[in-house]
Amino acid sequence: MNFSKQLPPGLPWLVRRTGTNLFPAVTVFLAARILSLVTDIKVSRVALVLLAIFSVPVVYVARYHLRRWRVRRAAARAGAVLPPEWRGEAFGGVDIVKRTVNGFQNGYLGEGFWDRIDELGHLHAITALGETTYATNDAHVMKSILATNFADFEKGEEFRDTVNTVLGMGVFNTDGELWKFHRQMTRPYFSRDRISHFELFDRHADVAIRKMKDRFGSGHALDFQDLISRFTIDSATEFLFGACVHSLKTDLPYAYNDPIAPGGGVTSVLGGHPGRGAAERFAAAFAGAQHVITMRNRVGWPWHLQELVRDRSAEHMRVVDAFLKPILADAIAKNRGAQAQAGLGAEGKAGDEDETLLDHLVKLTKDPVVLHDETLNILLAGRDTTAATLTFAVYMMCLYPEVCKRLRAEILETVGPTRMPTFEDVRSMKYLRAVINETLRLYPVVPFNIRVANKDTTLPNPKPNAPRVFVPAGTTVAYSTFFMQRRKEYWGPDAEHFDPDRWLDERLNKYFTKNPFIFVPFNAGPRICLGQQFAYNEMSFFLTRLLQTFSSMELDLSAQPPEARPPAEWARAEGQKGKEKIFPKTHLSMYVHGGLWVKMTEAERDA
């Protein structure tokens, strides 16, 4: 067992920093001692203590300015330039930190940290609390980070430190050879479509749609985000572990103002309480743990000071780990039994159609920590990608009923009103893929991400014909698919408008085909999402089943909790922000604050 992981994460950080930061004070005391030994000069204790105390900030400031001087020299030697910089008005850039945290908690997506991306340029520096971060929404810069200069960038030690208590050392939190190991473990499983996946989707979609029919038939609104999160977590846990949490079998939440709601208020799978079922506790704990590590990212290094005595993710992870532990133990025992019975070696044979991802992984390793971290990482991606995209797709179809009507017509023409769709059906429905892509363009599942330079390097300058931009080793580069995929320079004057036809008409060649890096919802380069096609299949399958069953849908804004409604001033904003009827937010991935409350009309069946 890793003992350091049992400590509050702020404590090891403080120990490491204390040694570094107290070095100047220790040097003062040693210098005074040597001075007293070799000369008759005596320094009073009061003066010595004051010198020691003031030496720490003095040396810190000196180091800061020395580092900036070295960076300027290194940039000049490389024939590169430094980007425009936002340093804030308060001491240490504290105002930027406050602005970022406030924007994350109360503002529209990206407000705070990304406020000056257009003013300062599409690649600029932000300095706060002595740390400099680069921010970009430029497609050429992101292509360099993710693909052409991939070897120069990694997730970085600070990111691993921030998310380690939740994601451990899984594929999303590792670099170098360990990342390659995780990637090679999972790649074969996602290398082909499996009929069993569609059968799995159909089982859980059937339960979800029955729940919807019951709720709408009784005249009540339904939180679609909660329902689809249940569908995806049930599908993902069965797909990953062969053990479904059956969250769809428990009661769905009612709106805060619905008189039938037990005890009043809303309890959803994204924000449940300990009194709910085990599946809901697991899902709520998983969401809560993600929120903790997202807040750490927003606060910056001072988050360690907030967790000196208590790991804020620990309570959530106890629930998550209690769910995972017996499943992992059973999978290891099952594999050992199968090997003993069949006389197979450690690697086993190629998986069959019904093999789960965990069945595949235990053939490669029996290390429970590796299995725990890897499956949790894949569960995060498998659940959140589909749940978020389907939530926002339904939201868009509520706002644009003509899109819903046209998509339903394509589904009925291709699949009919009752038949289960096949892989061929999904591939042939072009408008369905366009609706999904347009949703991912405006609402990418991971709207903000980071990489860290592992050596001095350069990035393309967004300014035409300007020298490349210097990136010192250790610099964090934050990049935003959310802002990039809404830029008019890349997508045309209607970039902030939801229009699936842009994926079918002349705009596809005009914008996307000539520069594919303007659309990277599944990442790009060597770290592109292995489960991309799996996600497209699952999303396409559920939307097909949904629109086979329901002919129209609408938002029930009265059911939206008051604290989760968009501020009135948003209506005066330009672009999609001014059109929002819900409050989009993000932890590691996007979601609708307070849920997406809808009503749907069941389609009439021919007699």
Side-chain angles (χ1 to χ4, degrees):
M1 180 175 290
N2 185 353
F3 177 71
S4 65
K5 196 171 180 179
Q6 309 307 308
L7 295 172
L11 199 55
W13 174 88
L14 183 63
V15 171
R16 293 193 302 268
R17 286 295 183 100
T18 298
T20 301
N21 292 334
L22 288 185
F23 178 76
V26 172
T27 302
V28 168
F29 281 109
L30 287 176
R33 178 62 175 165
I34 293 171
L35 192 65
S36 66
L37 290 175
V38 300
T39 71
D40 293 331
I41 300 175
K42 303 292 183 182
V43 181
S44 70
R45 288 187 177 182
V46 173
L48 191 59
V49 169
L50 289 175
L51 281 171
I53 291 173
F54 282 110
S55 70
V56 174
V58 167
V59 170
Y60 181 85
V61 171
R63 284 175 180 165
Y64 171 76
H65 286 288
L66 178 61
R67 183 170 67 249
R68 291 178 69 88
W69 176 77
R70 287 175 173 171
V71 166
R72 289 194 297 270
R73 291 279 302 260
R77 286 195 302 270
V81 296
L82 294 175
E85 185 177 13
W86 178 19
R87 300 184 66 177
E89 298 177 0
F91 177 76
V94 173
D95 55 318
I96 297 178
V97 177
K98 290 180 178 178
R99 186 170 179 166
T100 297
V101 173
N102 181 63
F104 172 70
Q105 293 176 331
N106 305 308
Y108 195 61
L109 288 162
E111 287 185 345
F113 184 84
W114 296 90
D115 283 353
R116 301 185 68 182
I117 191 72
D118 293 324
E119 174 193 351
L120 291 178
H122 299 290
L123 173 60
H124 69 271
I126 302 172
T127 299
L129 303 179
E131 301 288 342
T132 297
T133 299
Y134 287 10
T136 185
N137 66 346
D138 184 89
H140 299 293
V141 173
M142 289 168 63
K143 179 180 180 180
S144 183
I145 295 168
L146 301 176
T148 54
N149 277 31
F150 175 80
D152 293 353
F153 294 90
E154 58 187 25
K155 287 298 185 78
E157 193 59 42
E158 288 188 13
F159 179 81
R160 279 192 289 278
D161 185 36
T162 300
V163 305
N164 181 62
T165 59
V166 176
L167 297 182
M169 296 300 287
V171 68
F172 298 135
N173 195 28
T174 51
D175 294 304
E177 293 304 314
L178 186 55
W179 165 74
K180 291 179 183 178
F181 167 72
H182 283 288
R183 183 94 172 174
Q184 290 165 359
M185 278 203 308
T186 53
R187 183 192 298 276
Y189 191 77
F190 289 103
S191 62
R192 65 187 178 97
D193 292 330
R194 297 169 184 249
I195 296 172
S196 61
H197 290 169
F198 269 30
E199 294 170 346
L200 181 154
F201 299 154
D202 198 48
R203 286 195 300 275
H204 297 296
D206 185 60
V207 177
I209 287 173
R210 284 204 308 270
K211 289 268 191 180
M212 297 174 73
K213 290 166 71 173
D214 290 344
R215 179 60 59 89
F216 297 138
S218 60
H220 299 279
L222 174 141
D223 179 3
F224 182 80
Q225 177 173 255
D226 174 78
L227 177 124
I228 203 63
S229 296
R230 294 166 187 260
F231 165 77
T232 55
I233 203 166
D234 284 359
S235 299
T237 50
E238 183 175 345
F239 156 72
L240 287 171
F241 313 129
C244 175
V245 297
H246 294 298
S247 64
L248 280 166
K249 290 188 176 180
T250 57
D251 294 336
L252 301 181
Y254 285 88
Y256 83 100
N257 60 348
D258 196 318
I260 202 172
V266 178
T267 56
S268 77
V269 76
L270 287 181
H273 57 74
R276 303 292 283 174
E280 288 164 298
R281 291 200 302 272
F282 168 74
F286 198 28
Q290 292 178 60
H291 181 78
V292 169
I293 58 180
T294 302
M295 282 304 298
R296 290 173 180 172
N297 275 320
R298 297 298 185 275
V299 171
W301 63 261
W303 75 262
H304 296 90
L305 301 177
Q306 299 172 338
E307 300 190 41
L308 285 175
V309 297
R310 183 175 71 90
D311 174 2
R312 293 183 176 181
S313 69
E315 184 177 348
H316 301 300
M317 290 308 296
R318 275 193 291 271
V319 177
V320 171
D321 292 343
F323 168 74
L324 287 180
K325 187 176 180 180
I327 293 174
L328 298 176
D330 287 347
I332 293 172
K334 174 184 172 184
N335 179 258
R336 284 175 175 160
Q339 286 184 6
Q341 184 176 3
L344 296 176
E347 301 217 353
K349 293 181 179 179
D352 58 29
E353 179 67 33
D354 296 323
E355 182 183 57
T356 68
L357 179 60
L358 187 55
D359 291 335
H360 169 75
L361 293 178
V362 294
K363 294 177 181 179
L364 306 174
T365 179
K366 303 296 187 295
D367 187 331
V369 176
V370 173
L371 292 171
H372 170 280
D373 293 349
E374 188 64 14
T375 52
L376 196 60
N377 277 241
I378 301 299
L379 178 60
L380 171 67
R383 188 197 76 163
D384 286 10
T385 298
T386 308
T389 304
L390 287 176
T391 296
F392 284 99
V394 166
Y395 171 51
M396 288 291 98
M397 287 192 289
C398 289
L399 291 184
Y400 300 94
E402 69 278 7
V403 171
C404 179
K405 182 178 179 180
R406 181 174 165 187
L407 178 55
R408 185 167 188 270
E410 180 185 63
I411 288 169
L412 294 180
E413 181 181 349
T414 306
V415 189
T418 59
R419 180 170 63 83
M420 186 179 86
T422 64
F423 290 117
E424 291 70 27
D425 293 328
V426 167
R427 293 189 189 102
S428 69
M429 289 189 283
K430 305 302 182 185
Y431 193 67
L432 172 60
R433 185 60 167 257
V435 169
I436 293 173
N437 278 346
E438 186 68 348
T439 302
L440 286 166
R441 186 184 70 83
L442 283 179
Y443 298 98
V445 179
V446 182
F448 312 104
N449 213 328
I450 66 165
R451 291 291 186 272
V452 178
N454 55 31
K455 63 180 180 180
D456 286 354
T457 187
T458 61
L459 288 170
N461 197 320
K463 297 178 181 178
N465 304 317
R468 290 176 67 87
V469 174
F470 183 72
V471 186
T475 300
T476 297
V477 182
Y479 62 94
S480 173
T481 52
F482 177 78
F483 285 111
M484 181 187 70
Q485 292 176 179
R486 294 184 175 204
R487 284 183 61 180
K488 293 179 181 179
E489 301 96 313
Y490 296 147
W491 293 97
D494 62 347
E496 294 232 19
H497 178 65
F498 180 80
D499 184 5
D501 277 323
R502 76 174 71 249
W503 296 95
L504 303 172
D505 59 26
E506 71 282 353
R507 288 173 292 179
L508 181 66
N509 289 327
K510 183 178 180 180
Y511 297 113
F512 173 70
T513 304
K514 72 176 185 179
N515 188 6
F517 270 82
I518 64 174
F519 180 68
V520 288
F522 291 97
N523 218 326
R527 293 191 87 128
I528 193 169
C529 177
L530 287 174
Q532 176 177 341
Q533 191 55 50
F534 179 88
Y536 270 121
N537 286 341
E538 186 175 17
M539 293 185 287
S540 300
F541 188 98
F542 192 89
L543 285 175
T544 299
R545 280 308 206 195
L546 181 71
L547 291 179
Q548 283 177 318
T549 308
F550 300 100
S551 57
S552 64
M553 56 188 70
E554 61 182 347
L555 298 174
D556 187 347
L557 298 178
S558 66
Q560 201 78 12
E563 69 276 8
R565 297 174 185 175
E569 59 268 22
W570 284 15
R572 298 189 293 271
E574 296 181 357
Q576 187 62 25
K577 178 181 176 181
K579 303 173 187 176
E580 300 289 15
K581 305 300 181 185
I582 50 86
F583 202 135
K585 292 181 76 70
T586 182
H587 32 64
L588 289 182
S589 56
M590 289 188 65
Y591 66 98
V592 176
H593 183 39
L596 184 72
W597 293 90
V598 300
K599 289 184 176 180
M600 299 186 185
T601 302
E602 190 172 349
E604 295 182 1
R605 302 290 187 196
D606 293 335

